Amino acid sequence: MTSSSDPQRPPSPSSGAARMEKIVSLCKRRGFIFQSSEIYGGLNGAWDYGPLGVELKRNLKDYWWRTMVHERDDVVGMDGSILMNRAVWKASGHEETFTDPMVDCRTCKARLRADQIPQKNGVPQCPNCGGKDLTEPRSFNLMFKTYVGATEDESSITYLRPETAQSIFVQFKNVLDVSRKKLPFGIAQIGKAFRNEINPRNFTFRSREFEQMELEYFCRPEQGMELLEYWKEERLKFYENIGIAREKLHVLTVPDAERAFYSKGTYDIEYEFPFGRQELEGVAYRTDYDLSQHQNASGKPLEYFDEEAKQKFIPHVIEPSAGVDRTVLALICEAYDEDTAPDDKGKQESRIVLRFSPRIAPIKCAIFPLLKNKEPLVAKARAVVNLLRPHMNVFYDETGAIGRRYRRQDEIGTPFGITIDFETLGERGDEFRDTVTLRERDSMKQERVKIADLVQLLIARIS
Ligand code: ATP
């Protein structure tokens, strides 16, 4: 008897696990994401971005910054330190409560998240060894503890920040004073965060070191609920604008019982990953909790002075908090596709294609001389590279048959390919002199374009 869980049988190609396996393998093969410290056996929950991954990640962060900061009058940015005074984490509540309940398996010694233990016939069972001898849940703080300075004692303890938000709250007054913004206004930050996750899993989805893109949008209390809706919609538009289909995004209204006690409303924006529907971003109305905590603990005023009402009050805040790494993973999962394309002899062959939005694709355009041993073709192709390079990330490739070169670019999601051929050199008449073939990755359609028009035409398609 065979079943879908039969270990002899390869997983069905359409299954999420098989798709994920192909994605992970492509990420390594083409230099998007590598295991950290791989030659030493890796480090669980830590990942390195290779030459293409770093471009993708950078394009994502730049687009977030552009839409959340540069294109708005009401948001400014900051870049806070990862190490902060321990008092910050006491006041924010992280030292006390940033914990996951954990259970140890006495049989295989695995440490497991209490909320992720499967049950068999109503009895909790270790997912590693099937053992039923489990400890009671205990709290485990997710912050990485470290020591500042030469002595390792109680007075030198601090933590690697588990979120970027707190540096925004503790700098609220400084930023307000220098930017002279009026409510509502926001402070944005992109940066590393660290959580000692108990079970890092699903590739980069749950890592121990990751990056966040966070906005703290301060407002009057009466604006809070309306702005929560506004930011949820804005964030959904953002994901659509980077190429994630709306039907793959879901908004979960976090139920009262699962929300932080100070939050008046929280949405989770989820994406349908191949391993299931999971959170990409949280949009939370955090009231005045954070600023009040820091004002009380530090004794320093963190209030806003309302000129018209001549009144001081602590602003409320809406926080859209997104994960860079999770979004990069969603972008790759969304882009991954397999179809067929003709080879150099016109025969259909299967191809892997990453259908990235041109806006976030790591390389925007690849440039190919038809033949590498024809000096005038190579010189012209190099000239096109130099023409485009100041405007976008381009890639020059002269090796192999042209079909193979297209295929290599399809696999890394390059939206445009330019071929310089004998027509470009004017060898087939003046009509096509200084024109090139521009090929589009998804439709594979080719058009003849003047070199002089390339910059303008491509910029319009990638911005
Ligand atoms: P989860 O429930 O998945 O642990 P969370 O609700 O604790 O996430 P938040 O504290 O709201 O996450 O953090 C905001 C965002 O930071 C998340 O939506 C996610 O994109 C990202 N993030 C949080 N933890 C991790 C992690 N361990 N690895 C990668 N990204 C993370």
Side-chain angles (χ1 to χ4, degrees):
M1 199 181 79
T2 51
S3 76
S4 57
S5 59
D6 185 341
Q8 303 294 309
R9 231 170 110 176
S12 115
S14 59
S15 83
R19 186 175 166 84
M20 207 51 217
E21 224 169 84
K22 289 181 190 176
I23 288 169
V24 173
S25 132
L26 175 70
C27 282
K28 175 164 185 198
R29 181 157 43 83
R30 298 311 309 268
F32 283 92
I33 300 170
F34 306 124
Q35 200 183 9
S36 163
S37 331
E38 190 190 277
I39 60 169
Y40 290 102
L43 177 70
N44 204 1
W47 301 94
D48 292 341
Y49 288 80
L52 290 173
V54 69
E55 297 294 337
L56 180 62
K57 199 179 187 197
R58 201 174 264 257
N59 291 344
L60 168 66
K61 289 191 284 183
D62 285 351
Y63 187 66
W64 188 91
W65 198 262
R66 177 176 135 195
T67 53
M68 301 290 274
V69 184
H70 289 174
E71 290 181 359
R72 302 185 63 105
D73 284 332
D74 57 353
V75 177
V76 290
M78 70 165 276
D79 186 18
S81 63
I82 286 169
L83 297 174
M84 298 172 77
N85 192 314
R86 181 182 180 181
V88 171
W89 306 112
K90 286 186 194 241
S92 67
H94 282 83
E95 196 170 272
E96 184 82 358
T97 61
F98 196 60
T99 55
D100 271 345
M102 302 244 320
V103 156
D104 286 334
C105 170
R106 292 198 182 93
T107 315
C108 74
K109 310 288 177 227
R111 179 158 284 183
L112 311 156
R113 248 173 80 163
D115 60 343
Q116 287 168 1
I117 303 217
Q119 302 214 343
K120 198 167 180 192
N121 301 329
V123 181
Q125 236 188 17
C126 172
N128 286 348
C129 71
K132 297 188 187 81
D133 191 6
L134 307 174
T135 63
E136 284 300 305
R138 279 186 299 240
S139 282
F140 174 82
N141 197 300
L142 297 184
M143 287 197 294
F144 280 96
K145 193 186 267 184
T146 189
Y147 299 92
V148 176
T151 42
E152 292 195 2
D153 61 21
E154 187 62 19
S155 68
S156 61
I157 290 177
T158 195
Y159 306 94
L160 303 188
R161 66 179 179 193
E163 61 175 36
T164 64
Q166 295 306 320
S167 55
I168 299 182
F169 295 128
V170 300
Q171 291 295 357
F172 169 75
K173 197 77 175 112
N174 278 335
V175 177
L176 176 66
D177 289 347
V178 296
S179 66
R180 298 168 57 233
K181 292 282 174 206
K182 299 270 173 279
L183 288 180
F185 78 95
I187 306 176
Q189 176 168 212
I190 300 179
K192 288 267 186 179
F194 303 82
R195 295 182 189 179
N196 200 0
E197 299 279 0
I198 295 141
N199 297 323
R201 67 184 185 287
N202 289 331
F203 198 21
T204 56
F205 178 82
R206 187 172 299 287
S207 309
R208 289 185 167 135
E209 173 175 345
F210 54 96
E211 259 181 293
Q212 292 184 314
M213 307 182 279
E214 293 195 301
L215 171 70
E216 302 303 328
Y217 195 76
F218 300 98
C219 64
R220 294 168 193 280
E222 60 274 19
Q223 298 170 307
M225 289 314 280
E226 199 182 317
L227 283 168
L228 175 66
E229 296 304 312
Y230 167 81
W231 278 110
K232 181 219 354 158
E233 292 303 320
E234 283 297 295
R235 299 303 304 145
L236 286 168
K237 272 188 239 155
F238 173 87
Y239 290 109
E240 285 185 80
N241 286 341
I242 55 173
I244 297 192
R246 181 64 185 82
E247 56 272 21
K248 295 273 209 58
L249 294 167
H250 301 274
V251 178
L252 174 86
T253 306
V254 178
D256 292 357
E258 288 171 32
R259 251 184 1 237
F261 69 90
Y262 47 79
S263 171
K264 279 202 177 166
T266 303
Y267 293 116
D268 283 350
I269 299 180
E270 300 180 323
Y271 172 72
E272 278 176 36
F273 287 96
F275 45 84
R277 191 185 283 190
Q278 299 278 353
E279 175 181 330
L280 271 185
E281 165 160 358
V283 184
Y285 176 16
R286 299 175 63 96
T287 64
D288 60 356
Y289 175 77
D290 305 272
L291 288 180
S292 300
Q293 287 292 104
H294 289 303
Q295 171 164 295
N296 293 341
S298 68
K300 302 280 169 7
L302 295 176
E303 289 152 326
Y304 176 86
F305 182 66
D306 183 341
E307 310 254 350
E308 275 162 39
K310 304 276 180 255
Q311 248 182 4
K312 277 189 199 162
F313 65 95
I314 294 187
H316 280 213
V317 73
I318 313 296
E319 176 192 80
S321 170
V324 175
D325 309 77
R326 281 189 189 178
T327 309
V328 166
L329 185 58
L331 287 169
I332 296 173
C333 291
E334 181 77 2
Y336 185 89
D337 199 9
E338 293 168 12
D339 68 359
T340 55
D343 67 8
D344 283 303
K345 296 187 182 71
K347 197 173 133 250
Q348 289 292 325
E349 59 174 13
S350 64
R351 75 165 178 165
I352 292 174
V353 51
L354 288 183
R355 301 191 193 278
F356 287 134
S357 149
R359 180 171 275 151
I360 53 105
I363 296 169
K364 308 298 183 194
C365 185
I367 295 142
F368 317 117
L370 187 62
L371 300 169
K372 74 169 175 191
N373 53 5
K374 285 278 181 278
E375 177 45 32
L377 289 176
V378 169
K380 202 68 175 176
R382 291 277 184 201
V384 172
V385 168
N386 291 337
L387 175 76
L388 297 181
R389 192 160 265 165
H391 306 279
M392 65 196 76
N393 193 22
V394 297
F395 183 78
Y396 174 80
D397 186 7
E398 59 179 23
T399 50
I402 201 79
R404 293 226 67 74
R405 283 185 260 170
Y406 281 146
R407 216 56 19 92
R408 285 201 288 262
Q409 294 305 313
D410 291 341
E411 211 182 43
I412 60 171
T414 306
F416 302 104
I418 289 174
T419 305
I420 283 81
D421 55 19
F422 292 103
E423 293 184 347
T424 317
L425 303 178
E427 291 190 9
R428 308 263 151 84
D430 274 346
E431 190 192 345
F432 293 117
R433 185 188 294 279
D434 285 330
T435 65
V436 293
T437 305
L438 179 66
R439 175 207 186 244
E440 200 270 331
R441 176 198 64 208
D442 295 339
S443 63
M444 292 183 269
K445 283 212 181 95
Q446 307 201 353
E447 55 182 319
R448 204 75 203 172
V449 174
K450 286 190 188 134
I451 292 177
D453 294 340
L454 274 176
V455 170
Q456 205 189 6
L457 191 146
L458 287 173
I459 284 180
R461 293 185 192 178
I462 63 173
S463 351

